[in-house]
Amino acid sequence: MRQSKRIFAAALALAGLAGLTARPLEAASSPRQFNINIQNGQPAAPAPDTAALMEKARQDSSARASKARQDSLSLADARRQLDIERSKRSEMENQLLTTGLLVLDAVYFETGRTEISINSKPYLDMLAKMLTKYPKLQIEVDGHTDNVGGDVYNQNLSEGRAKAVQSYLISQAPDLNGRLAAKGFGESSPKADNRTAEGRTLNRRTELRVLNKEALDEYNRFSGSGGTAPAPTGAPAPGSHAAGSAE
């Protein structure tokens, strides 16, 4: 009987020892789980919390709204400045900027000659000053004649007159150099009937023509502008007429 109790006690002791050793082994074989994100061999920073994300979104939204307000104010100011500038424009400016073409009604030449009449120079002085206000425009001075005289003669005459106007404008406004060309068309582009004196007068002319008409959009973007070509500033001197050939 005593021996049975000793055996039973020994069995209990062994069972308790086995339990003590099993628990650490079980713990060792089942470690606790940690959510650690490894990036490039280093633990990644924890994700920002919701409050931080919401604050960043609020700041970004506020910055976008502020920029939109600034852009709107800048656009409104640009429109005001352009409207002020337009209100100061002459009819001559409005004609050129609206149509891309300006007939130089107050430019005169002696019959059959390419020298500009002295009566034309105040007009050309004003024109040169005006053109410097629009530096993005590429402009061509075009010379035209009526059909009186030979083709070659009229072609050379128109070219000479166009170049005379070009040279004078550049002399008064050197900034125009490089963006003011000259070309003669002779009698090839009439505006009116050469069979009448009135028609021949209209055909003898010099014109400014904008070559890069897309640049006009920048000067007329927000509102339209109108106007007609200016009336001549003075009558031709005796024996003179506007930009023509010999009659």
Side-chain angles (χ1 to χ4, degrees), residues 122-181:
Y123 174 83
L124 289 175
D125 293 344
M126 179 177 60
L127 182 62
K129 184 177 180 180
M130 182 197 84
L131 294 178
T132 61
K133 295 167 59 177
Y134 306 100
K136 294 189 177 182
L137 297 183
Q138 294 291 324
I139 298 171
E140 182 177 88
V141 182
D142 293 339
H144 301 271
T145 70
D146 58 24
N147 66 345
V148 177
D151 292 347
V152 174
Y153 172 82
N154 285 333
Q155 178 63 33
N156 292 337
L157 185 63
S158 66
E159 288 179 3
R161 289 178 170 179
K163 289 179 180 178
V165 172
Q166 175 199 35
S167 297
Y168 185 84
L169 290 173
I170 291 175
S171 72
Q172 299 305 301
D175 289 348
L176 297 177
N177 191 26
R179 64 184 187 91
L180 194 64

Side-chain angles (χ1 to χ4, degrees), residues 23-94:
R23 279 191 293 272
L25 290 173
E26 182 182 356
S29 63
S30 301
R32 292 180 63 188
Q33 300 298 315
F34 295 95
N35 294 324
I36 300 177
N37 185 16
I38 305 299
Q39 294 182 356
N40 297 326
Q42 298 293 329
D49 57 29
T50 303
L53 288 174
M54 292 179 65
E55 175 62 18
K56 185 177 185 304
R58 185 193 67 79
Q59 293 176 357
D60 290 346
S61 177
S62 177
R64 287 193 296 270
S66 177
K67 186 178 186 304
R69 286 193 296 271
Q70 291 175 357
D71 290 346
S72 179
L73 291 173
S74 297
L75 183 60
D77 184 63
R79 286 174 174 169
R80 283 194 297 271
Q81 294 298 325
L82 186 57
D83 287 340
I84 291 172
E85 175 61 29
R86 281 209 179 97
S87 70
K88 299 177 181 178
R89 288 179 183 174
S90 64
E91 291 183 353
M92 186 165 58
E93 286 175 273
N94 284 330

